[in-house]
Amino acid sequence: MLSSAKHKINHSAFSVSSSSSSLPHSYSQAKNMTQVTMEEVWKDINLASLHQHRQLNIDHEPVLSNQNPNNSIFKDFLKKPLNQEPQPLPPSSSSSTLHRSLPPPPPETVLSLNPHSINTHFDESARFGCFGMKRGGQESDESRGDRRHKRMIKNRESAARSRARKQAYTNELELAISHLQKENARLKRQEEQLKMAEATQHQTKRKLQRSWTTPF
Amino acid sequence: MSLNNRDPLVVGGVIGDVLEQFTRSIDLRVTYGQREVTNGLDIRPSQILNKPRVEIGGDDLRNFYTLVMVDPDVPSPSNPHLREYLHWLVTDIPATTGTNFGNEIVSYENPRPTSGIHRIVLVLFRQLGRQTVYEPGWRPQFNTREFAALYNLGLPAAAVYFSCQRDNGCGGRRS
């Protein structure tokens, strides 16, 4: 049902010709929906992270065209050290309406979009609801950054796995070496002792006489 | 033996992804041909076509053990949504012997990873006694922890893992 709501948003925003009589209805319905959801999400946002956005906004991209507000902030997010966790949004339905099946980090994209979308017209807010390729250059910019970000995360995970693999094998080898060294030392000691025992036995052997004789 | 965080099983993620933290209580020796498996060793699929020789330690023939062999990185380590894949399951292995003396519930299927570098884990559990273990029914999405809980196997007695990737190429770009 969420996806159908999103569809309504799409259609009402971009429909060139629609004979559907329900169009105005869906428009207002969808608009209400986005307004409500925007506000809800807006409430969810930490003031701290909002402040960060504002600062980033001011510092970078002096020419902040209305066309690409989201993209620049997105890039700024990417520049920020990625190990700071985005504020965990409560898993409310409101945040989920703003993005389709996005794996992490949905919070980041939501945060970046909201400061601008609250007061803009429905058209722009509608765009946030669909990260797909609906409108040529604009959406593909967003999804391109999106995909790049995802790929970066995947690459980091892969790099971490690779390091772990290497470290695990190294540790195993070190353990094996230590074990083998100890065993080697032990065996050498044992050999020494056996040699000594054999030497003393050899000395006593020379003194051996016939101790008993067979009957025949 | 204080291994703490340097234990290869921990560093390699086997403890965590597949097993709980445990203390090894018995010797486990897995050999493919001439090659003995040590943690993290890189072995290619062409070298593990047939089941390995598995020898376990201990001293009392009346203790029985179960061996589980799984791949937690299926279909790919970056997206292991089919974790874990059951490759082999042998029960009722008497201590001091090997898998040849046990009950092969799930036959050995040689790993053939297509994408990424997989960990292949062999775990040994001590059984409470001789027990009937029912075969899971399918190999993917096996859960070693649940299996151990189901049959009251407790914590692992021993474990070892190796790395396995395709013989040639990389499997193509992941989506």
Side-chain angles (χ1 to χ4, degrees):
Chain A
M1 16 178 197
L2 285 177
S3 52
S4 65
K6 278 180 244 156
H7 270 282
K8 280 183 185 162
I9 296 170
N10 293 346
H11 291 162
S12 39
F14 312 128
S15 63
V16 177
S17 63
S18 176
S19 52
S20 148
S21 57
S22 65
L23 178 61
H25 176 255
S26 64
Y27 176 100
S28 54
Q29 200 182 52
K31 186 176 183 181
N32 284 339
M33 195 149 183
T34 50
Q35 277 185 345
V36 165
T37 57
M38 288 297 167
E39 257 141 22
E40 274 183 61
V41 181
W42 180 250
K43 280 181 204 145
D44 290 339
I45 294 170
N46 237 341
L47 280 177
S49 46
L50 177 59
H51 188 250
Q52 273 176 355
H53 300 182
R54 290 264 158 82
Q55 275 197 332
L56 288 172
N57 212 3
I58 295 165
D59 295 340
H60 305 269
E61 303 289 313
V63 180
L64 201 65
S65 67
N66 212 20
Q67 299 301 316
N68 293 329
N70 322 308
N71 210 16
S72 61
I73 293 198
F74 206 89
K75 280 182 196 157
D76 295 335
F77 257 96
L78 295 183
K79 284 178 201 156
K80 274 164 54 186
L82 265 169
N83 46 15
Q84 41 168 274
E85 285 294 318
Q87 307 301 320
L89 289 181
S92 55
S93 57
S94 57
S95 43
S96 61
T97 55
L98 289 177
H99 41 266
R100 284 188 197 146
S101 55
L102 263 189
E108 285 184 295
T109 55
V110 167
L111 290 175
S112 65
L113 294 174
N114 275 312
H116 295 274
S117 64
I118 273 298
N119 290 323
T120 55
H121 50 270
F122 179 72
D123 204 357
E124 237 184 294
S125 56
R127 223 180 311 145
F128 306 152
C130 53
F131 286 121
M133 322 284 170
K134 289 292 175 188
R135 249 232 202 150
Q138 182 62 41
E139 272 67 47
S140 59
D141 277 352
E142 292 171 7
S143 53
R144 237 188 283 143
D146 216 9
R147 262 179 289 153
R148 208 184 316 139
H149 195 203
K150 266 192 255 177
R151 189 153 344 141
M152 186 161 75
I153 291 181
K154 276 201 169 181
N155 185 257
R156 277 169 199 235
E157 289 171 2
S158 177
R161 271 197 306 275
S162 182
R163 286 192 299 268
R165 197 167 40 237
K166 181 171 170 182
Q167 188 65 47
Y169 187 52
T170 304
N171 289 359
E172 177 75 17
L173 287 179
E174 287 174 357
L175 283 171
I177 286 179
S178 162
H179 181 247
L180 288 169
Q181 278 172 337
K182 287 188 190 136
E183 196 179 336
N184 204 23
R186 183 179 63 82
L187 287 171
K188 280 195 175 150
R189 269 199 308 268
Q190 208 174 53
E191 199 191 354
E192 279 301 307
Q193 285 170 356
L194 285 174
K195 263 200 209 153
M196 297 242 294
E198 207 231 315
T200 49
Q201 214 179 30
H202 186 67
Q203 280 172 357
T204 51
K205 230 181 189 162
R206 274 200 284 151
K207 297 241 169 94
L208 271 179
Q209 310 280 343
R210 197 190 298 183
S211 50
W212 53 279
T213 325
T214 52
F216 49 84
Chain B
M1 216 195 281
S2 59
L3 290 167
N4 38 282
N5 286 342
R6 293 187 51 82
D7 184 354
L9 290 172
V10 173
V11 175
V14 172
I15 290 180
D17 290 346
V18 185
L19 306 173
E20 295 300 317
Q21 179 77 258
F22 69 96
T23 317
R24 178 214 267 250
S25 58
I26 194 175
D27 285 338
L28 172 65
R29 221 175 114 103
V30 180
T31 318
Y32 277 104
Q34 289 301 314
R35 195 177 268 102
E36 186 184 338
V37 175
T38 53
N39 285 320
L41 185 65
D42 186 83
I43 311 184
R44 296 296 166 119
S46 53
Q47 297 160 333
I48 55 176
L49 293 173
N50 300 310
K51 66 176 83 163
R53 186 168 80 244
V54 176
E55 296 157 304
I56 68 179
D59 40 28
D60 194 339
L61 277 172
R62 290 167 300 177
N63 292 330
F64 296 97
Y65 290 81
T66 293
L67 178 80
V68 181
M69 179 170 170
V70 290
D71 178 350
D73 297 327
V74 289
S76 130
S78 57
N79 184 15
H81 59 268
L82 295 176
R83 169 175 292 179
E84 310 148 21
Y85 190 91
L86 181 63
H87 281 279
W88 201 22
L89 180 58
V90 187
T91 63
D92 294 339
I93 307 169
T96 75
T97 68
T99 44
N100 294 331
F101 296 81
N103 203 357
E104 198 179 35
I105 305 279
V106 175
S107 60
Y108 177 79
E109 185 185 293
N110 57 316
R112 279 160 313 184
T114 48
S115 171
I117 304 184
H118 296 217
R119 296 164 295 179
I120 314 287
V121 188
L122 291 112
V123 199
L124 200 63
F125 290 98
R126 171 148 170 200
Q127 296 171 207
L128 294 173
R130 282 194 100 104
Q131 59 183 118
T132 318
V133 171
Y134 295 99
E135 57 171 300
W138 51 85
R139 294 178 187 258
Q141 311 233 274
F142 182 78
N143 190 312
T144 306
R145 280 185 175 101
E146 280 174 15
F147 175 80
L150 182 63
Y151 291 103
N152 279 312
L153 297 173
L155 290 176
V160 71
Y161 85 101
F162 61 92
S163 292
C164 188
Q165 60 182 299
R166 312 166 45 111
D167 281 293
N168 45 18
C170 64
R173 184 210 275 223
R174 295 174 285 223
S175 57

